[in-house]
Amino acid sequence: MTREESLKYMHFNRFMMVRYLSAAYFFVNAAWALVAFSYQSWTLYIPLVMVVLNLLSSMEIAGKLQSKTTDAPKTTFYFLVQLTLNLLLGIICFTPLAASVFPFVSAKNARAIITMILLIGIFGAIMVLNRLQAVKTNSDKYYKVISAFKKNHIKN
């Protein structure tokens, strides 16, 4: 692998956590869409919109392999929407609306499981948003590694 290729992959790896968590959110939202579809619930549209936003975000992040830009506005938007949605759904879990938003929740402990999943989702979205901000401002640990690599291996 050439030095330039190494540098390209180093830049791309700055978004590794974002890629993995995007995949996790994709599958959770897709599963929710399937369940909502099977219950013929109006909430089917919420996870479908989130899946589309996730795909747009994933395409932006995939493009980072060819680009050294650090800004990811579509991905930031997606995770802000996901964070807001998880917060709203967490609140709804404890209201009478929960039965219509989550028609598949009938057991007593099911609300606790849904709430735990939403809390994990909130935590993950916050982590990604912090990582995106760190990459954008070049304050992430990978930037230091890239700078050291450039200094030691690439001649000006």
Side-chain angles (χ1 to χ4, degrees):
M1 183 180 309
T2 68
R3 291 180 181 131
E4 289 75 24
E5 286 175 325
S6 295
L7 194 58
K8 179 172 75 170
Y9 286 110
M10 284 180 181
H11 279 284
F12 189 58
N13 283 339
R14 296 173 80 184
F15 295 96
M16 187 178 303
M17 181 182 72
V18 178
R19 294 190 322 253
Y20 287 128
L21 285 177
S22 289
Y25 284 100
F26 175 84
F27 287 112
V28 169
N29 283 319
W32 180 21
L34 287 173
V35 170
F37 178 76
S38 71
Y39 278 86
Q40 298 179 345
S41 171
W42 63 271
T43 59
L44 168 67
Y45 301 107
I46 298 169
L48 286 179
V49 167
M50 296 310 296
V51 165
V52 169
L53 290 175
N54 185 301
L55 289 173
L56 293 172
S57 164
S58 296
M59 289 181 349
E60 178 181 59
I61 294 300
K64 297 296 179 190
L65 184 59
Q66 301 303 322
S67 168
K68 292 181 185 177
T69 61
T70 59
D71 195 18
K74 291 175 187 168
T75 304
T76 301
F77 176 76
Y78 165 72
F79 278 99
L80 282 171
V81 172
Q82 187 70 61
L83 174 63
T84 304
L85 179 63
N86 284 14
L87 288 168
L88 289 173
L89 291 173
I91 293 167
I92 288 172
C93 264
F94 298 99
T95 69
L97 285 173
S100 66
V101 174
F102 303 109
F104 48 88
V105 177
S106 58
K108 289 181 182 180
N109 64 349
R111 279 192 188 180
I113 292 168
I114 296 291
T115 303
M116 188 176 322
I117 291 168
L118 291 169
L119 286 172
I120 291 168
I122 289 167
F123 179 70
I126 290 170
M127 283 178 28
V128 167
L129 289 167
N130 285 336
R131 173 60 58 90
L132 289 170
Q133 182 62 30
V135 169
K136 184 178 178 178
T137 60
N138 290 326
S139 58
D140 59 313
K141 68 178 182 175
Y142 285 108
Y143 182 73
K144 293 174 183 129
V145 171
I146 291 167
S147 296
F149 181 84
K150 283 180 181 178
K151 181 180 176 184
N152 295 323
H153 293 95
I154 298 180
K155 297 176 186 174
N156 294 329

